[in-house]
Amino acid sequence: MTDTTWSSVDEYLGGKLLASDAALDGAHKASAAAGLPAIAVSPLQGRLLELIARSIGAKKVLEIGTLGGYSTICLARGVGRDGRVVSLEYEPRHAKVALASIAAAGLTDVVEVRVGKALDLLPGIADDGAGPFDLVFIDADKASNADYLDWSIRLARPGTVIIVDNVVRGGAVADPARFSPDALGNRRMFDLLEADERVDATAIQTVGSKGYDGFVYALVR
Ligand code: SAH
Ligand code: DHB
Ligand code: MG
């Protein structure tokens, strides 16, 4: 579901608000050249991640789902040179592309990519004291979103911001006739949010070059 107007407006807004960006263009091209899926955050969304990180003074960020490192670079810029981003990625091939683009962006010292299934890596992150995180960006397999949200809260402190990408999926989340893993995973995540006393949350529907989707913005109490 992609409306050409949404893409044109994304282009217009990007032209007005985003400077030309060799590192992000390079990450985009490297991902495409390596055959990675074109599902990174859009340039405007990536800028939002950077600005949120800066707005809250985030120094420790956890990302679940690195892909080619596009959003990782945005988050790393947001935390500054004295910050740290830990990003989890299941596919070694994706992590390799990401590390090269992160290096080309001059951010190797800021970013650590850990390779494996996020649900296998998260207990180790709890144990080795990498947290508590100031900001978490959840953007991996949507079927596990409820588990990722629960882990994120456990790795958080009061005031931590948790953002979850792709929670609407073209409206599938609210369509009882749709049972895709994404839809089911997101419904399970919203069930958790409905009952959870540990966070306050909202969700925003979005349109743009990536179609119709949305994200959760949650604040740990
Ligand atoms: N955040 C990236 C896009 C991530 S796409 C950006 O905006 O630039 C989703 C990524 O999650 C893919 O690279 C996929 O390999 C990864 N992924 C899927 N299942 C995973 C899992 N169980 N653990 C960690 N990563 C996973
Ligand atoms: C898709 C988009 C995403 O942002 C993502 O993280 C995974 C998949 C998609 O459009 O298929
Ligand atoms: Mg996403």
Side-chain angles (χ1 to χ4, degrees):
M1 184 199 249
T2 302
D3 184 305
T4 51
T5 307
W6 302 342
S7 293
S8 317
V9 173
D10 252 6
E11 276 198 22
Y12 168 81
L13 296 173
K16 288 291 170 191
L17 303 174
L18 305 175
S20 71
D21 194 316
L24 288 178
D25 289 350
H28 180 82
K29 287 195 182 102
S31 283
L36 272 48
I39 56 174
V41 292
S42 72
L44 289 159
Q45 293 169 345
R47 182 72 164 159
L48 179 64
L49 292 175
E50 179 197 334
L51 293 179
I52 290 171
R54 283 166 53 193
S55 300
I56 65 172
K59 290 295 157 198
K60 289 184 182 181
V61 173
L62 173 65
E63 176 178 67
I64 305 178
T66 317
L67 191 63
Y70 192 99
S71 56
T72 319
I73 289 169
C74 298
L75 291 164
R77 288 174 171 170
V79 299
R81 305 294 328 172
D82 60 339
R84 190 131 188 94
V85 178
V86 178
S87 187
L88 312 183
E89 173 53 52
Y90 176 61
E91 294 284 349
R93 202 166 60 88
H94 298 183
K96 197 177 160 200
V97 174
L99 284 170
S101 291
I102 288 160
L107 292 164
T108 300
D109 295 344
V110 178
V111 177
E112 180 190 352
V113 177
R114 297 194 189 184
V115 181
K117 286 189 186 170
L119 287 176
D120 296 338
L121 297 171
L122 285 161
I125 288 175
D127 291 343
D128 73 11
F133 295 97
D134 308 309
L135 173 64
V136 182
F137 180 50
I138 299 174
D139 192 22
D141 54 313
K142 319 308 167 193
S144 302
N145 271 352
D147 300 306
Y148 296 151
L149 180 67
D150 185 63
W151 266 109
S152 301
I153 297 168
R154 287 153 68 178
L155 293 166
R157 54 160 176 84
T160 294
V161 171
I162 302 170
I163 297 168
V164 190
D165 196 22
N166 312 116
V167 302
V168 171
R169 306 306 282 133
V173 68
D175 182 347
R178 287 164 84 175
F179 297 98
S180 66
D182 285 11
L184 292 172
N186 280 325
R187 269 176 236 154
R188 200 160 73 84
M189 178 198 60
F190 280 112
D191 288 345
L192 178 68
L193 281 171
E194 180 180 26
D196 208 298
E197 306 266 298
R198 298 171 297 172
V199 290
D200 296 314
T202 189
I204 299 293
Q205 302 185 65
T206 58
V207 295
S209 56
K210 293 187 68 182
Y212 169 39
D213 214 322
F215 62 89
V216 157
Y217 186 107
L219 181 64
V220 176
R221 287 185 188 163

